[in-house]
């Protein structure tokens, strides 16, 4: 792994920045990424400040906690209040639905347990089979195969999942074609694309003329990906290229995708603050419906008039329309210690990333 | 959520491997989703290996970097 040192090398990063400044025309270019970890790299290493003014880096909806519907959070919280044990990732527990957060429900005596993975949730379910245990399954295609793997291993009957798993490629393509996400080029999310394969982004290039580059997460990785996009944009090309070839392949992790597809099917699904996007929600196939908390407990779909808190502008932040600093709540009432909007919750949320890097606060 | 960290596979029994994240502490990882051998590097996400890292491809990335800079 000695190459990692080179991918964090300051001189190489500066050389790439000089190249971007010297070689390419000064026309305005919007590059969108859809991964909280890419936003972290960009903010942590100050990449925006290094780039010329004509290149704008936009953070798209790349944070699973941010887009998890308020209804799902409230329903998970209600299950805990009814006496079921709800197992959840730590960051998800802090996201506030319309009525509840799981963290608040836990502090009021609700049975909420923080887990690192679905395996921990299963251990809890197996330890006392008289107790109903629900795993709040949040995450993109990177996390969904882990859930699928355990559903195939026949969990105990007192175990079920509330799936908020989402599939990124069709979401990016649909949001672009609807004009909701503006971009001249896209950085594909390195680890989600490790699973789905680079081929899933091909329609963006072929049908919409948007160049795509799958990128790693070191600062030199991201700068290389930017240059690979800027070069294509300036030459009028739109290809699907792979900067992160040590992990991403054209076909992806076929075993993982097969595991997902055996357990889940894709359905039209809600993305918080963004709306319904076709074929982006992983729901359990009929044969596994006994493990589906929505079926098991008869959870009903409810349309909230608004699923964002008054003043919260996460919906626009997730589509790159505004910066966190333009939100009236940012670092005033909405802070990492007491998040109001979902983008302030997770280390992948744009507001949270900006807030924890003092220069931007 | 999609955070994944490289680690070297030191031992493997069935679908469970012991991996080293570089801190000389061995941790157990589920390798059901990949085909991996001892000595290779995997990307670990929430206790599961999601990919085997290709060291040759990593070196190619460094070569591509040199090409970009010399163009």
């Amino acid at each position: 792994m000695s190459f990692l040192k080179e991918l964090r090398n300051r001189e190489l990063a500066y050389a790439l920045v000089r190249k971007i400044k010297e070689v390419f025309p000064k026309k305005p270019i919007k590059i969108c990424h859809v991964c909280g970890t890419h936003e972290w790299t960009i903010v942590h290493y100050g990449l925006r400040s290094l780039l010329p003014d004509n290149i704008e880096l936009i953070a798209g909806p790349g944070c699973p906690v941010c887009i998890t519907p308020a209804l799902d959070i409230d329903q998970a919280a209600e299950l805990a209040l009814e006496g079921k044990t709800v197992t959840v990732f730590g960051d998800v527990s802090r996201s506030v639905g319309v009525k509840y957060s799981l963290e608040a429900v836990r502090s009021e005596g609700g049975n909420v347990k923080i887990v690192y993975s679905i395996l921990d949730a299963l251990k809890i379910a197996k330890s006392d089979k008289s107790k109903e245990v629900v795993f709040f399954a949040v995450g993109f295609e990177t996390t969904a195969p882990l859930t699928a793997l355990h559903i195939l291993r026949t969990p105990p009957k007192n175990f079920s999942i509330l799936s908020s798993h989402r599939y990124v490629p069709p979401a990016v393509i649909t949001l672009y074609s609807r004009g909701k996400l503006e971009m001249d080029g896209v950085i594909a999310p390195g680890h989600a694309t490790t699973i789905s394969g680079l081929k899933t982004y091909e329609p963006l290039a072929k049908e919409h003329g948007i160049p795509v580059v799958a990128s790693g997460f070191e600062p030199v990785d991201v700068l290389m990906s930017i240059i690979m996009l800027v070069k294509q944009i300036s030459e009028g090309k739109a290809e699907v290229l792979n900067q992160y070839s040590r992990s991403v392949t054209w076909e992806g992790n076929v075993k993982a995708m097969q595991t997902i597809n055996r357990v889940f099917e894709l359905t039209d699904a809600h993305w918080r603050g963004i709306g319904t996007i076709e074929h982006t929600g992983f729901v359990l196939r009929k044969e596994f419906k006994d493990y589906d908390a929505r079926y098991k407990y008869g959870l009903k779909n409810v349309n909230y008039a608004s699923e964002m808190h008054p003043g919260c502008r996460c919906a626009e932040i997730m589509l790159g329309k505004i910066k966190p600093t333009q939100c009236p709540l940012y670092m005033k009432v909405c802070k990492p210690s007491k998040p109001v909007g979902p983008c302030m919750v997770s280390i992948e949320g744009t507001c949270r990333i900006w807030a924890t890097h003092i220069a931007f606060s | 959520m999609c955070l994944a960290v490289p680690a070297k596979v030191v031992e493997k029994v069935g679908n469970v491997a012991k991996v080293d994240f570089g801190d000389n502490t061995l941790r157990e990882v589920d390798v059901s989703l990949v085909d991996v051998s001892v000595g290779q590097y995997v990307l670990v996400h929430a206790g599961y290996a999601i990919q085997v890292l290709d060291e040759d491809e990593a070196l190619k990335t460094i070569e591509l970097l040199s090409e970009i800079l010399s163009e």
Side-chain angles (χ1 to χ4, degrees):
Chain A
M1 294 285 118
S2 57
F3 61 87
L4 284 178
K5 278 185 192 155
E6 297 207 45
L7 296 174
R8 289 176 194 159
N9 182 308
R10 181 191 295 256
E11 293 312 316
L12 282 174
Y14 282 143
L16 282 166
V17 169
R18 277 197 299 276
K19 198 85 188 173
I20 293 171
K21 286 183 176 167
E22 284 164 14
V23 174
F24 298 108
K26 296 287 174 277
K27 68 170 187 173
I29 290 174
K30 282 185 181 180
I31 292 174
C32 179
H33 70 75
V34 276
C35 176
T37 316
H38 279 145
E39 182 62 15
W40 188 92
T41 300
I42 289 164
V43 174
H44 186 77
Y45 292 99
L47 301 188
R48 280 196 182 88
S49 66
L50 294 176
L51 291 172
D53 292 342
N54 62 310
I55 297 178
E56 187 184 354
L57 297 183
I58 293 169
C63 156
V65 179
C66 305
I67 59 92
T68 293
L71 177 66
D72 295 9
I73 294 166
D74 287 343
Q75 288 184 328
E78 279 162 4
L79 290 173
L81 289 170
E82 287 166 12
K84 282 109 188 163
T85 301
V86 173
T87 55
V88 60
F89 297 133
D91 50 4
V92 182
S93 77
R94 302 178 71 236
S95 189
V96 189
V98 168
K99 301 181 205 165
Y100 311 100
S101 76
L102 284 155
E103 187 183 54
V105 162
R106 183 189 191 200
S107 65
E108 286 163 21
N111 208 356
V112 176
K113 287 197 172 10
I114 307 298
V115 292
Y116 169 60
S117 78
I118 185 173
L119 191 59
D120 296 340
L122 280 159
K123 280 181 190 160
I124 294 168
K126 285 172 186 167
S127 69
D128 181 0
K129 291 188 180 167
S130 68
K131 189 102 183 155
E132 292 289 305
V133 175
V134 180
F135 174 62
F136 191 7
V138 171
F140 294 141
E141 53 270 30
T142 323
T143 316
L146 283 45
T147 307
L149 201 58
H150 285 286
I151 295 295
L152 287 173
R153 290 176 184 170
T154 319
K157 290 200 176 349
N158 60 324
F159 179 83
S160 62
I161 67 161
L162 183 66
S163 173
S164 301
H165 284 314
R166 295 288 183 272
Y167 190 44
V168 178
V172 177
I173 295 164
T174 302
L175 289 174
Y176 175 76
S177 62
R178 283 186 196 160
K180 284 198 164 186
L181 204 53
E182 288 175 37
M183 61 174 107
D184 301 303
V186 66
I187 298 177
H191 293 146
T193 312
T194 292
I195 302 292
S196 72
L198 204 40
K199 65 177 183 184
T200 53
Y201 290 89
E202 198 176 27
L204 265 180
K206 280 209 163 159
E207 293 164 26
H208 300 288
I210 296 292
V212 179
V213 175
S215 178
F217 295 94
E218 301 301 333
V220 168
D221 282 327
V222 173
L223 287 170
M224 264 181 86
S225 301
I226 291 169
I227 220 168
M228 288 162 82
L229 285 169
V230 172
K231 188 168 191 284
Q232 292 192 65
I233 294 163
S234 62
E235 290 170 359
K237 288 182 183 165
E239 292 173 8
V240 181
L241 301 180
N242 192 359
Q243 188 280 334
Y244 196 31
S245 59
R246 60 190 184 272
S247 178
V248 171
T249 60
W250 185 254
E251 294 296 328
N253 184 334
V254 175
K255 218 171 179 179
M257 281 309 291
Q258 282 172 346
T259 307
I260 290 180
N261 291 330
R262 274 175 68 191
V263 171
F264 293 110
E265 55 192 338
L266 282 172
T267 183
D268 301 350
H270 187 71
W271 293 54
R272 187 174 192 175
I274 293 171
T276 299
I277 312 177
E278 294 76 17
H279 308 298
T280 56
F282 289 115
V283 291
L284 286 172
R285 291 184 180 278
K286 275 196 184 117
E287 60 193 288
F288 302 107
K289 69 178 191 298
D290 292 341
Y291 294 117
D292 187 340
R294 289 191 181 88
Y295 170 79
K296 194 173 183 181
Y297 304 119
L299 305 182
K300 298 275 184 289
N301 193 25
V302 179
N303 285 323
Y304 284 142
S306 171
E307 58 178 343
M308 291 303 188
H309 298 273
C312 171
R313 297 185 69 183
C314 275
E316 293 152 281
I317 291 165
M318 284 189 281
L319 292 171
K321 305 282 183 211
I322 65 162
K323 297 179 174 70
T325 43
Q326 291 170 271
C327 173
L329 308 189
Y330 178 76
M331 293 309 278
K332 294 187 177 75
V333 293
C334 185
K335 297 179 180 184
S337 57
K338 197 173 184 300
V340 175
C343 303
M344 189 58 94
V345 171
S346 154
I347 53 160
E348 289 177 311
T350 302
C351 294
R352 171 69 178 255
I353 296 166
W354 284 47
T356 48
H357 287 80
I358 301 301
F360 296 95
S361 302
Chain B
M1 190 81 65
C2 298
L3 199 66
V5 183
K8 190 173 191 173
V9 176
V10 178
E11 279 176 50
K12 190 186 157 202
V13 180
N15 284 327
V16 178
K18 284 191 176 159
V19 305
D20 183 357
F21 286 93
D23 57 0
N24 291 321
T25 309
L26 296 186
R27 290 180 174 84
E28 279 193 359
V29 161
D30 188 313
V31 291
S32 307
L33 296 170
V34 295
D35 295 311
V36 68
S37 317
V38 170
Q40 288 184 304
Y41 283 88
V42 285
L43 261 184
V44 180
H45 167 65
Y48 294 76
I50 58 164
Q51 186 64 293
V52 179
L53 286 176
D54 189 328
E55 285 197 85
D56 291 339
E57 284 294 338
L59 297 174
K60 279 185 201 165
T61 302
I62 304 292
E63 283 169 25
L64 177 62
L65 177 61
S66 311
E67 270 175 45
I68 287 173
L69 290 174
S70 63
E71 262 175 23

